[in-house]
Amino acid sequence: MSDLEGEVPLVTGSAEVRARVCAQARGLDAWSAGSRRRAVEDHLRFARGSGAAGESERVRLEAELPEWQRIEALLESSGQAGYDPESDRVAAAAAEEMRRRERAAADAREAARRAERERREGALRRAEDLLDLAQDRNLDASVLVEADDPHVRSMLCGRSPAAVRQIDARMARALTARLGALADPGVRAAAWEALPQRVTAHAALLKALAGNTAGFLPEALPFAGALAAAAPEATEQLARWLAATPGPA
């Protein structure tokens, strides 16, 4: 047998390796299997001397060598004229394991496709609900965070980019004016944490402008939302500067 036998494990590390070697060995007699085993050993010596350049080849050959050793020993002890994977209980078990993994992978892919389909359908329903609420001017804290779900926003943008801007603007105004459920400090604090920066920056700018205009909430200023969407950090800086600047007497 092999002079490398003591340097490698006698059991293959994976069903894939075993199935591959068994397929390659089909029909070989003991002498031919021994020739293949010796060729693998020769290549393994070379790979081990090649350093990092031969690392992947070394790993592959070290995994395959025990299987060639096993098949050679099986043919020698059984006297078979040619190796038949179907009559090899070890190979049959490896093939069954491969089929089991393939079925599991197929089931996982189908489950992922089903989950993606359900996610898209759910996002579409929520997007349509938000569009209805926006049109009815009935947005409150119960839907503010959901409106920024990336899947829902994708649906909204595809159906009505204008509605997305409208929903963002209503979020900002609701925060600033403490409308509906946002009158509750706890709900309002949670919304400030959860909502995207473009919305909280818009709300901060509206609040700062209101403080500089004797309490007037400048809802009619379209630049506030556009500025927050384009440069939320700069908008927050502007809001802080306005808040620190005395308003009109």
PDB file of all heavy atoms in Angstrom, residues 168-177 192 198-213 215-225 228 235 238-240 242:
ATOM      1  N   ASP A 168     -43.084  61.161   3.538  1.00  0.00           N
ATOM      2  CA  ASP A 168     -41.958  61.692   4.308  1.00  0.00           C
ATOM      3  C   ASP A 168     -42.298  63.056   4.902  1.00  0.00           C
ATOM      4  O   ASP A 168     -42.003  63.343   6.069  1.00  0.00           O
ATOM      5  CB  ASP A 168     -40.721  61.816   3.414  1.00  0.00           C
ATOM      6  CG  ASP A 168     -40.004  60.486   3.219  1.00  0.00           C
ATOM      7  OD1 ASP A 168     -40.389  59.511   3.886  1.00  0.00           O
ATOM      8  OD2 ASP A 168     -39.068  60.432   2.400  1.00  0.00           O
ATOM      9  N   ALA A 169     -42.915  63.907   4.095  1.00  0.00           N
ATOM     10  CA  ALA A 169     -43.258  65.252   4.567  1.00  0.00           C
ATOM     11  C   ALA A 169     -44.275  65.188   5.702  1.00  0.00           C
ATOM     12  O   ALA A 169     -44.160  65.922   6.693  1.00  0.00           O
ATOM     13  CB  ALA A 169     -43.803  66.083   3.409  1.00  0.00           C
ATOM     14  N   ARG A 170     -45.253  64.297   5.580  1.00  0.00           N
ATOM     15  CA  ARG A 170     -46.258  64.183   6.635  1.00  0.00           C
ATOM     16  C   ARG A 170     -45.651  63.616   7.911  1.00  0.00           C
ATOM     17  O   ARG A 170     -46.038  63.977   9.021  1.00  0.00           O
ATOM     18  CB  ARG A 170     -47.423  63.323   6.156  1.00  0.00           C
ATOM     19  CG  ARG A 170     -48.237  64.000   5.077  1.00  0.00           C
ATOM     20  CD  ARG A 170     -49.543  63.272   4.805  1.00  0.00           C
ATOM     21  NE  ARG A 170     -50.250  63.910   3.703  1.00  0.00           N
ATOM     22  CZ  ARG A 170     -50.948  65.040   3.817  1.00  0.00           C
ATOM     23  NH1 ARG A 170     -51.004  65.657   4.975  1.00  0.00           N
ATOM     24  NH2 ARG A 170     -51.559  65.564   2.772  1.00  0.00           N
ATOM     25  N   MET A 171     -44.705  62.701   7.754  1.00  0.00           N
ATOM     26  CA  MET A 171     -44.000  62.199   8.934  1.00  0.00           C
ATOM     27  C   MET A 171     -43.318  63.336   9.676  1.00  0.00           C
ATOM     28  O   MET A 171     -43.419  63.455  10.907  1.00  0.00           O
ATOM     29  CB  MET A 171     -42.926  61.192   8.503  1.00  0.00           C
ATOM     30  CG  MET A 171     -43.409  59.831   8.064  1.00  0.00           C
ATOM     31  SD  MET A 171     -41.956  58.815   7.649  1.00  0.00           S
ATOM     32  CE  MET A 171     -42.748  57.318   7.071  1.00  0.00           C
ATOM     33  N   ALA A 172     -42.593  64.162   8.917  1.00  0.00           N
ATOM     34  CA  ALA A 172     -41.841  65.255   9.529  1.00  0.00           C
ATOM     35  C   ALA A 172     -42.780  66.244  10.215  1.00  0.00           C
ATOM     36  O   ALA A 172     -42.520  66.692  11.341  1.00  0.00           O
ATOM     37  CB  ALA A 172     -41.000  65.962   8.471  1.00  0.00           C
ATOM     38  N   ARG A 173     -43.882  66.586   9.555  1.00  0.00           N
ATOM     39  CA  ARG A 173     -44.815  67.550  10.156  1.00  0.00           C
ATOM     40  C   ARG A 173     -45.504  66.973  11.389  1.00  0.00           C
ATOM     41  O   ARG A 173     -45.743  67.667  12.373  1.00  0.00           O
ATOM     42  CB  ARG A 173     -45.835  67.991   9.104  1.00  0.00           C
ATOM     43  CG  ARG A 173     -45.250  68.925   8.067  1.00  0.00           C
ATOM     44  CD  ARG A 173     -46.331  69.671   7.308  1.00  0.00           C
ATOM     45  NE  ARG A 173     -47.074  68.800   6.412  1.00  0.00           N
ATOM     46  CZ  ARG A 173     -46.727  68.546   5.148  1.00  0.00           C
ATOM     47  NH1 ARG A 173     -45.627  69.084   4.647  1.00  0.00           N
ATOM     48  NH2 ARG A 173     -47.469  67.772   4.383  1.00  0.00           N
ATOM     49  N   ALA A 174     -45.835  65.666  11.332  1.00  0.00           N
ATOM     50  CA  ALA A 174     -46.471  65.021  12.482  1.00  0.00           C
ATOM     51  C   ALA A 174     -45.532  65.020  13.681  1.00  0.00           C
ATOM     52  O   ALA A 174     -45.957  65.232  14.827  1.00  0.00           O
ATOM     53  CB  ALA A 174     -46.884  63.602  12.123  1.00  0.00           C
ATOM     54  N   LEU A 175     -44.244  64.789  13.426  1.00  0.00           N
ATOM     55  CA  LEU A 175     -43.276  64.840  14.517  1.00  0.00           C
ATOM     56  C   LEU A 175     -43.177  66.237  15.103  1.00  0.00           C
ATOM     57  O   LEU A 175     -43.161  66.427  16.324  1.00  0.00           O
ATOM     58  CB  LEU A 175     -41.890  64.405  14.004  1.00  0.00           C
ATOM     59  CG  LEU A 175     -41.555  62.912  14.027  1.00  0.00           C
ATOM     60  CD1 LEU A 175     -40.196  62.689  13.373  1.00  0.00           C
ATOM     61  CD2 LEU A 175     -41.547  62.391  15.456  1.00  0.00           C
ATOM     62  N   THR A 176     -43.102  67.219  14.226  1.00  0.00           N
ATOM     63  CA  THR A 176     -42.901  68.586  14.680  1.00  0.00           C
ATOM     64  C   THR A 176     -44.108  69.112  15.439  1.00  0.00           C
ATOM     65  O   THR A 176     -43.984  69.752  16.483  1.00  0.00           O
ATOM     66  CB  THR A 176     -42.615  69.498  13.470  1.00  0.00           C
ATOM     67  OG1 THR A 176     -41.553  68.933  12.710  1.00  0.00           O
ATOM     68  CG2 THR A 176     -42.242  70.896  13.921  1.00  0.00           C
ATOM     69  N   ALA A 177     -45.312  68.854  14.906  1.00  0.00           N
ATOM     70  CA  ALA A 177     -46.535  69.374  15.514  1.00  0.00           C
ATOM     71  C   ALA A 177     -47.102  68.443  16.581  1.00  0.00           C
ATOM     72  O   ALA A 177     -48.107  68.782  17.208  1.00  0.00           O
ATOM     73  CB  ALA A 177     -47.584  69.604  14.425  1.00  0.00           C
ATOM     74  N   TRP A 192     -38.476  59.191  16.695  1.00  0.00           N
ATOM     75  CA  TRP A 192     -37.229  59.900  16.372  1.00  0.00           C
ATOM     76  C   TRP A 192     -36.077  58.913  16.206  1.00  0.00           C
ATOM     77  O   TRP A 192     -35.187  59.112  15.372  1.00  0.00           O
ATOM     78  CB  TRP A 192     -36.887  60.912  17.467  1.00  0.00           C
ATOM     79  CG  TRP A 192     -37.533  62.252  17.285  1.00  0.00           C
ATOM     80  CD1 TRP A 192     -38.670  62.700  17.887  1.00  0.00           C
ATOM     81  CD2 TRP A 192     -37.085  63.320  16.441  1.00  0.00           C
ATOM     82  NE1 TRP A 192     -38.966  63.967  17.465  1.00  0.00           N
ATOM     83  CE2 TRP A 192     -38.008  64.383  16.582  1.00  0.00           C
ATOM     84  CE3 TRP A 192     -36.004  63.480  15.593  1.00  0.00           C
ATOM     85  CZ2 TRP A 192     -37.879  65.582  15.899  1.00  0.00           C
ATOM     86  CZ3 TRP A 192     -35.869  64.677  14.902  1.00  0.00           C
ATOM     87  CH2 TRP A 192     -36.799  65.718  15.052  1.00  0.00           C
ATOM     88  N   ARG A 198     -33.446  61.435   6.897  1.00  0.00           N
ATOM     89  CA  ARG A 198     -34.017  62.500   6.054  1.00  0.00           C
ATOM     90  C   ARG A 198     -35.316  63.043   6.659  1.00  0.00           C
ATOM     91  O   ARG A 198     -35.636  64.226   6.513  1.00  0.00           O
ATOM     92  CB  ARG A 198     -34.271  61.972   4.645  1.00  0.00           C
ATOM     93  CG  ARG A 198     -35.313  60.896   4.584  1.00  0.00           C
ATOM     94  CD  ARG A 198     -35.583  60.358   3.191  1.00  0.00           C
ATOM     95  NE  ARG A 198     -36.578  59.311   3.279  1.00  0.00           N
ATOM     96  CZ  ARG A 198     -36.314  58.060   3.604  1.00  0.00           C
ATOM     97  NH1 ARG A 198     -35.071  57.706   3.857  1.00  0.00           N
ATOM     98  NH2 ARG A 198     -37.279  57.162   3.678  1.00  0.00           N
ATOM     99  N   VAL A 199     -36.087  62.161   7.362  1.00  0.00           N
ATOM    100  CA  VAL A 199     -37.354  62.597   7.959  1.00  0.00           C
ATOM    101  C   VAL A 199     -37.094  63.370   9.251  1.00  0.00           C
ATOM    102  O   VAL A 199     -37.680  64.433   9.481  1.00  0.00           O
ATOM    103  CB  VAL A 199     -38.270  61.383   8.219  1.00  0.00           C
ATOM    104  CG1 VAL A 199     -39.535  61.817   8.963  1.00  0.00           C
ATOM    105  CG2 VAL A 199     -38.632  60.712   6.905  1.00  0.00           C
ATOM    106  N   THR A 200     -36.208  62.844  10.105  1.00  0.00           N
ATOM    107  CA  THR A 200     -35.936  63.542  11.367  1.00  0.00           C
ATOM    108  C   THR A 200     -35.216  64.866  11.112  1.00  0.00           C
ATOM    109  O   THR A 200     -35.442  65.848  11.835  1.00  0.00           O
ATOM    110  CB  THR A 200     -35.104  62.658  12.306  1.00  0.00           C
ATOM    111  OG1 THR A 200     -33.895  62.244  11.650  1.00  0.00           O
ATOM    112  CG2 THR A 200     -35.888  61.419  12.707  1.00  0.00           C
ATOM    113  N   ALA A 201     -34.369  64.921  10.075  1.00  0.00           N
ATOM    114  CA  ALA A 201     -33.706  66.186   9.736  1.00  0.00           C
ATOM    115  C   ALA A 201     -34.733  67.211   9.260  1.00  0.00           C
ATOM    116  O   ALA A 201     -34.667  68.395   9.612  1.00  0.00           O
ATOM    117  CB  ALA A 201     -32.651  65.952   8.662  1.00  0.00           C
ATOM    118  N   HIS A 202     -35.687  66.753   8.455  1.00  0.00           N
ATOM    119  CA  HIS A 202     -36.766  67.631   7.987  1.00  0.00           C
ATOM    120  C   HIS A 202     -37.560  68.156   9.178  1.00  0.00           C
ATOM    121  O   HIS A 202     -37.852  69.365   9.274  1.00  0.00           O
ATOM    122  CB  HIS A 202     -37.672  66.836   7.041  1.00  0.00           C
ATOM    123  CG  HIS A 202     -38.735  67.650   6.385  1.00  0.00           C
ATOM    124  ND1 HIS A 202     -39.650  67.105   5.523  1.00  0.00           N
ATOM    125  CD2 HIS A 202     -39.052  68.972   6.476  1.00  0.00           C
ATOM    126  CE1 HIS A 202     -40.468  68.053   5.097  1.00  0.00           C
ATOM    127  NE2 HIS A 202     -40.124  69.199   5.663  1.00  0.00           N
ATOM    128  N   ALA A 203     -37.903  67.244  10.113  1.00  0.00           N
ATOM    129  CA  ALA A 203     -38.662  67.659  11.288  1.00  0.00           C
ATOM    130  C   ALA A 203     -37.865  68.644  12.138  1.00  0.00           C
ATOM    131  O   ALA A 203     -38.417  69.638  12.647  1.00  0.00           O
ATOM    132  CB  ALA A 203     -39.044  66.432  12.118  1.00  0.00           C
ATOM    133  N   ALA A 204     -36.563  68.396  12.299  1.00  0.00           N
ATOM    134  CA  ALA A 204     -35.725  69.295  13.090  1.00  0.00           C
ATOM    135  C   ALA A 204     -35.680  70.684  12.462  1.00  0.00           C
ATOM    136  O   ALA A 204     -35.722  71.709  13.163  1.00  0.00           O
ATOM    137  CB  ALA A 204     -34.316  68.720  13.218  1.00  0.00           C
ATOM    138  N   LEU A 205     -35.592  70.738  11.125  1.00  0.00           N
ATOM    139  CA  LEU A 205     -35.553  72.037  10.446  1.00  0.00           C
ATOM    140  C   LEU A 205     -36.879  72.762  10.590  1.00  0.00           C
ATOM    141  O   LEU A 205     -36.914  73.976  10.839  1.00  0.00           O
ATOM    142  CB  LEU A 205     -35.204  71.843   8.972  1.00  0.00           C
ATOM    143  CG  LEU A 205     -35.099  73.120   8.145  1.00  0.00           C
ATOM    144  CD1 LEU A 205     -34.073  74.083   8.749  1.00  0.00           C
ATOM    145  CD2 LEU A 205     -34.722  72.793   6.698  1.00  0.00           C
ATOM    146  N   LEU A 206     -37.996  72.040  10.454  1.00  0.00           N
ATOM    147  CA  LEU A 206     -39.303  72.674  10.641  1.00  0.00           C
ATOM    148  C   LEU A 206     -39.445  73.228  12.058  1.00  0.00           C
ATOM    149  O   LEU A 206     -39.947  74.340  12.264  1.00  0.00           O
ATOM    150  CB  LEU A 206     -40.420  71.660  10.371  1.00  0.00           C
ATOM    151  CG  LEU A 206     -40.621  71.216   8.923  1.00  0.00           C
ATOM    152  CD1 LEU A 206     -41.737  70.178   8.842  1.00  0.00           C
ATOM    153  CD2 LEU A 206     -40.926  72.393   8.016  1.00  0.00           C
ATOM    154  N   LYS A 207     -38.978  72.459  13.036  1.00  0.00           N
ATOM    155  CA  LYS A 207     -39.059  72.913  14.428  1.00  0.00           C
ATOM    156  C   LYS A 207     -38.216  74.157  14.647  1.00  0.00           C
ATOM    157  O   LYS A 207     -38.646  75.120  15.318  1.00  0.00           O
ATOM    158  CB  LYS A 207     -38.599  71.787  15.350  1.00  0.00           C
ATOM    159  CG  LYS A 207     -38.679  72.133  16.832  1.00  0.00           C
ATOM    160  CD  LYS A 207     -38.234  70.952  17.691  1.00  0.00           C
ATOM    161  CE  LYS A 207     -38.286  71.306  19.171  1.00  0.00           C
ATOM    162  NZ  LYS A 207     -37.844  70.155  20.019  1.00  0.00           N
ATOM    163  N   ALA A 208     -37.012  74.166  14.074  1.00  0.00           N
ATOM    164  CA  ALA A 208     -36.138  75.322  14.236  1.00  0.00           C
ATOM    165  C   ALA A 208     -36.713  76.538  13.534  1.00  0.00           C
ATOM    166  O   ALA A 208     -36.659  77.660  14.068  1.00  0.00           O
ATOM    167  CB  ALA A 208     -34.751  74.996  13.679  1.00  0.00           C
ATOM    168  N   LEU A 209     -37.273  76.347  12.353  1.00  0.00           N
ATOM    169  CA  LEU A 209     -37.887  77.469  11.634  1.00  0.00           C
ATOM    170  C   LEU A 209     -39.092  78.004  12.395  1.00  0.00           C
ATOM    171  O   LEU A 209     -39.325  79.212  12.455  1.00  0.00           O
ATOM    172  CB  LEU A 209     -38.297  77.027  10.229  1.00  0.00           C
ATOM    173  CG  LEU A 209     -37.153  76.791   9.241  1.00  0.00           C
ATOM    174  CD1 LEU A 209     -37.664  76.108   7.981  1.00  0.00           C
ATOM    175  CD2 LEU A 209     -36.477  78.118   8.893  1.00  0.00           C
ATOM    176  N   ALA A 210     -39.878  77.107  12.988  1.00  0.00           N
ATOM    177  CA  ALA A 210     -41.032  77.549  13.772  1.00  0.00           C
ATOM    178  C   ALA A 210     -40.586  78.390  14.962  1.00  0.00           C
ATOM    179  O   ALA A 210     -41.214  79.392  15.307  1.00  0.00           O
ATOM    180  CB  ALA A 210     -41.831  76.330  14.250  1.00  0.00           C
ATOM    181  N   GLY A 211     -39.484  78.005  15.591  1.00  0.00           N
ATOM    182  CA  GLY A 211     -38.981  78.772  16.724  1.00  0.00           C
ATOM    183  C   GLY A 211     -38.454  80.124  16.332  1.00  0.00           C
ATOM    184  O   GLY A 211     -38.386  81.044  17.158  1.00  0.00           O
ATOM    185  N   ASN A 212     -38.084  80.280  15.058  1.00  0.00           N
ATOM    186  CA  ASN A 212     -37.568  81.557  14.590  1.00  0.00           C
ATOM    187  C   ASN A 212     -38.619  82.397  13.895  1.00  0.00           C
ATOM    188  O   ASN A 212     -38.312  83.438  13.349  1.00  0.00           O
ATOM    189  CB  ASN A 212     -36.387  81.332  13.631  1.00  0.00           C
ATOM    190  CG  ASN A 212     -35.071  81.188  14.357  1.00  0.00           C
ATOM    191  OD1 ASN A 212     -34.312  82.128  14.493  1.00  0.00           O
ATOM    192  ND2 ASN A 212     -34.817  79.982  14.861  1.00  0.00           N
ATOM    193  N   THR A 213     -39.855  81.889  13.893  1.00  0.00           N
ATOM    194  CA  THR A 213     -40.921  82.664  13.239  1.00  0.00           C
ATOM    195  C   THR A 213     -42.112  82.804  14.166  1.00  0.00           C
ATOM    196  O   THR A 213     -43.264  82.681  13.760  1.00  0.00           O
ATOM    197  CB  THR A 213     -41.359  81.974  11.933  1.00  0.00           C
ATOM    198  OG1 THR A 213     -41.685  80.595  12.219  1.00  0.00           O
ATOM    199  CG2 THR A 213     -40.268  82.029  10.884  1.00  0.00           C
ATOM    200  N   GLY A 215     -43.466  80.929  16.406  1.00  0.00           N
ATOM    201  CA  GLY A 215     -44.385  79.797  16.542  1.00  0.00           C
ATOM    202  C   GLY A 215     -45.048  79.371  15.264  1.00  0.00           C
ATOM    203  O   GLY A 215     -45.760  78.370  15.238  1.00  0.00           O
ATOM    204  N   PHE A 216     -44.836  80.078  14.170  1.00  0.00           N
ATOM    205  CA  PHE A 216     -45.451  79.683  12.898  1.00  0.00           C
ATOM    206  C   PHE A 216     -44.766  78.428  12.362  1.00  0.00           C
ATOM    207  O   PHE A 216     -43.544  78.375  12.259  1.00  0.00           O
ATOM    208  CB  PHE A 216     -45.304  80.820  11.886  1.00  0.00           C
ATOM    209  CG  PHE A 216     -45.668  80.409  10.476  1.00  0.00           C
ATOM    210  CD1 PHE A 216     -46.969  80.079  10.149  1.00  0.00           C
ATOM    211  CD2 PHE A 216     -44.688  80.355   9.496  1.00  0.00           C
ATOM    212  CE1 PHE A 216     -47.277  79.706   8.860  1.00  0.00           C
ATOM    213  CE2 PHE A 216     -45.002  79.990   8.198  1.00  0.00           C
ATOM    214  CZ  PHE A 216     -46.300  79.667   7.879  1.00  0.00           C
ATOM    215  N   LEU A 217     -45.541  77.385  12.059  1.00  0.00           N
ATOM    216  CA  LEU A 217     -44.988  76.152  11.514  1.00  0.00           C
ATOM    217  C   LEU A 217     -44.969  76.260   9.994  1.00  0.00           C
ATOM    218  O   LEU A 217     -46.035  76.269   9.368  1.00  0.00           O
ATOM    219  CB  LEU A 217     -45.833  74.950  11.943  1.00  0.00           C
ATOM    220  CG  LEU A 217     -45.285  73.570  11.548  1.00  0.00           C
ATOM    221  CD1 LEU A 217     -43.925  73.344  12.191  1.00  0.00           C
ATOM    222  CD2 LEU A 217     -46.253  72.470  11.956  1.00  0.00           C
ATOM    223  N   PRO A 218     -43.814  76.405   9.387  1.00  0.00           N
ATOM    224  CA  PRO A 218     -43.728  76.704   7.956  1.00  0.00           C
ATOM    225  C   PRO A 218     -43.964  75.464   7.088  1.00  0.00           C
ATOM    226  O   PRO A 218     -43.087  74.987   6.384  1.00  0.00           O
ATOM    227  CB  PRO A 218     -42.293  77.209   7.813  1.00  0.00           C
ATOM    228  CG  PRO A 218     -41.537  76.486   8.881  1.00  0.00           C
ATOM    229  CD  PRO A 218     -42.495  76.280  10.018  1.00  0.00           C
ATOM    230  N   GLU A 219     -45.174  74.892   7.129  1.00  0.00           N
ATOM    231  CA  GLU A 219     -45.479  73.699   6.362  1.00  0.00           C
ATOM    232  C   GLU A 219     -45.425  73.954   4.870  1.00  0.00           C
ATOM    233  O   GLU A 219     -45.237  73.041   4.080  1.00  0.00           O
ATOM    234  CB  GLU A 219     -46.861  73.167   6.753  1.00  0.00           C
ATOM    235  CG  GLU A 219     -46.951  72.702   8.200  1.00  0.00           C
ATOM    236  CD  GLU A 219     -48.290  72.049   8.503  1.00  0.00           C
ATOM    237  OE1 GLU A 219     -49.107  71.949   7.563  1.00  0.00           O
ATOM    238  OE2 GLU A 219     -48.517  71.645   9.653  1.00  0.00           O
ATOM    239  N   ALA A 220     -45.620  75.173   4.490  1.00  0.00           N
ATOM    240  CA  ALA A 220     -45.708  75.476   3.059  1.00  0.00           C
ATOM    241  C   ALA A 220     -44.340  75.687   2.423  1.00  0.00           C
ATOM    242  O   ALA A 220     -44.257  76.053   1.254  1.00  0.00           O
ATOM    243  CB  ALA A 220     -46.575  76.709   2.840  1.00  0.00           C
ATOM    244  N   LEU A 221     -43.248  75.492   3.165  1.00  0.00           N
ATOM    245  CA  LEU A 221     -41.914  75.697   2.605  1.00  0.00           C
ATOM    246  C   LEU A 221     -41.411  74.395   1.988  1.00  0.00           C
ATOM    247  O   LEU A 221     -40.929  73.501   2.697  1.00  0.00           O
ATOM    248  CB  LEU A 221     -40.953  76.168   3.703  1.00  0.00           C
ATOM    249  CG  LEU A 221     -41.289  77.524   4.324  1.00  0.00           C
ATOM    250  CD1 LEU A 221     -40.283  77.857   5.412  1.00  0.00           C
ATOM    251  CD2 LEU A 221     -41.294  78.621   3.268  1.00  0.00           C
ATOM    252  N   PRO A 222     -41.513  74.222   0.689  1.00  0.00           N
ATOM    253  CA  PRO A 222     -41.152  72.949   0.059  1.00  0.00           C
ATOM    254  C   PRO A 222     -39.661  72.653   0.113  1.00  0.00           C
ATOM    255  O   PRO A 222     -39.265  71.499   0.025  1.00  0.00           O
ATOM    256  CB  PRO A 222     -41.632  73.125  -1.394  1.00  0.00           C
ATOM    257  CG  PRO A 222     -41.623  74.604  -1.624  1.00  0.00           C
ATOM    258  CD  PRO A 222     -42.005  75.213  -0.304  1.00  0.00           C
ATOM    259  N   PHE A 223     -38.821  73.709   0.286  1.00  0.00           N
ATOM    260  CA  PHE A 223     -37.379  73.470   0.265  1.00  0.00           C
ATOM    261  C   PHE A 223     -36.918  72.649   1.456  1.00  0.00           C
ATOM    262  O   PHE A 223     -35.883  71.985   1.392  1.00  0.00           O
ATOM    263  CB  PHE A 223     -36.611  74.800   0.224  1.00  0.00           C
ATOM    264  CG  PHE A 223     -36.590  75.524   1.534  1.00  0.00           C
ATOM    265  CD1 PHE A 223     -35.638  75.217   2.504  1.00  0.00           C
ATOM    266  CD2 PHE A 223     -37.517  76.516   1.815  1.00  0.00           C
ATOM    267  CE1 PHE A 223     -35.614  75.885   3.713  1.00  0.00           C
ATOM    268  CE2 PHE A 223     -37.500  77.180   3.024  1.00  0.00           C
ATOM    269  CZ  PHE A 223     -36.540  76.862   3.985  1.00  0.00           C
ATOM    270  N   ALA A 224     -37.668  72.673   2.565  1.00  0.00           N
ATOM    271  CA  ALA A 224     -37.227  71.978   3.774  1.00  0.00           C
ATOM    272  C   ALA A 224     -37.115  70.477   3.524  1.00  0.00           C
ATOM    273  O   ALA A 224     -36.111  69.842   3.854  1.00  0.00           O
ATOM    274  CB  ALA A 224     -38.182  72.258   4.928  1.00  0.00           C
ATOM    275  N   GLY A 225     -38.135  69.901   2.941  1.00  0.00           N
ATOM    276  CA  GLY A 225     -38.096  68.473   2.650  1.00  0.00           C
ATOM    277  C   GLY A 225     -37.059  68.128   1.604  1.00  0.00           C
ATOM    278  O   GLY A 225     -36.357  67.113   1.716  1.00  0.00           O
ATOM    279  N   ALA A 228     -33.624  68.257   3.216  1.00  0.00           N
ATOM    280  CA  ALA A 228     -33.406  67.127   4.113  1.00  0.00           C
ATOM    281  C   ALA A 228     -33.141  65.847   3.334  1.00  0.00           C
ATOM    282  O   ALA A 228     -32.311  65.025   3.731  1.00  0.00           O
ATOM    283  CB  ALA A 228     -34.608  66.948   5.037  1.00  0.00           C
ATOM    284  N   THR A 235     -28.727  69.513   6.819  1.00  0.00           N
ATOM    285  CA  THR A 235     -30.008  70.028   7.294  1.00  0.00           C
ATOM    286  C   THR A 235     -30.054  70.038   8.817  1.00  0.00           C
ATOM    287  O   THR A 235     -30.545  70.994   9.430  1.00  0.00           O
ATOM    288  CB  THR A 235     -31.153  69.162   6.737  1.00  0.00           C
ATOM    289  OG1 THR A 235     -31.080  69.145   5.318  1.00  0.00           O
ATOM    290  CG2 THR A 235     -32.506  69.716   7.160  1.00  0.00           C
ATOM    291  N   LEU A 238     -28.004  72.926  10.015  1.00  0.00           N
ATOM    292  CA  LEU A 238     -28.739  74.179   9.844  1.00  0.00           C
ATOM    293  C   LEU A 238     -29.793  74.328  10.934  1.00  0.00           C
ATOM    294  O   LEU A 238     -29.970  75.428  11.495  1.00  0.00           O
ATOM    295  CB  LEU A 238     -29.392  74.211   8.459  1.00  0.00           C
ATOM    296  CG  LEU A 238     -30.303  75.417   8.173  1.00  0.00           C
ATOM    297  CD1 LEU A 238     -29.532  76.726   8.283  1.00  0.00           C
ATOM    298  CD2 LEU A 238     -30.948  75.269   6.788  1.00  0.00           C
ATOM    299  N   ALA A 239     -30.479  73.225  11.245  1.00  0.00           N
ATOM    300  CA  ALA A 239     -31.507  73.275  12.282  1.00  0.00           C
ATOM    301  C   ALA A 239     -30.895  73.646  13.626  1.00  0.00           C
ATOM    302  O   ALA A 239     -31.459  74.457  14.380  1.00  0.00           O
ATOM    303  CB  ALA A 239     -32.226  71.931  12.367  1.00  0.00           C
ATOM    304  N   ARG A 240     -29.736  73.056  13.945  1.00  0.00           N
ATOM    305  CA  ARG A 240     -29.080  73.388  15.209  1.00  0.00           C
ATOM    306  C   ARG A 240     -28.659  74.854  15.236  1.00  0.00           C
ATOM    307  O   ARG A 240     -28.764  75.531  16.263  1.00  0.00           O
ATOM    308  CB  ARG A 240     -27.869  72.468  15.432  1.00  0.00           C
ATOM    309  CG  ARG A 240     -28.249  71.046  15.802  1.00  0.00           C
ATOM    310  CD  ARG A 240     -27.045  70.273  16.326  1.00  0.00           C
ATOM    311  NE  ARG A 240     -26.069  70.026  15.270  1.00  0.00           N
ATOM    312  CZ  ARG A 240     -26.075  68.952  14.470  1.00  0.00           C
ATOM    313  NH1 ARG A 240     -27.015  68.042  14.626  1.00  0.00           N
ATOM    314  NH2 ARG A 240     -25.142  68.785  13.552  1.00  0.00           N
ATOM    315  N   LEU A 242     -30.055  77.377  13.574  1.00  0.00           N
ATOM    316  CA  LEU A 242     -31.275  78.192  13.720  1.00  0.00           C
ATOM    317  C   LEU A 242     -31.791  78.160  15.146  1.00  0.00           C
ATOM    318  O   LEU A 242     -32.264  79.179  15.671  1.00  0.00           O
ATOM    319  CB  LEU A 242     -32.355  77.696  12.749  1.00  0.00           C
ATOM    320  CG  LEU A 242     -32.135  78.005  11.274  1.00  0.00           C
ATOM    321  CD1 LEU A 242     -33.154  77.270  10.435  1.00  0.00           C
ATOM    322  CD2 LEU A 242     -32.217  79.516  11.027  1.00  0.00           C
TER     323      LEU A 242
END
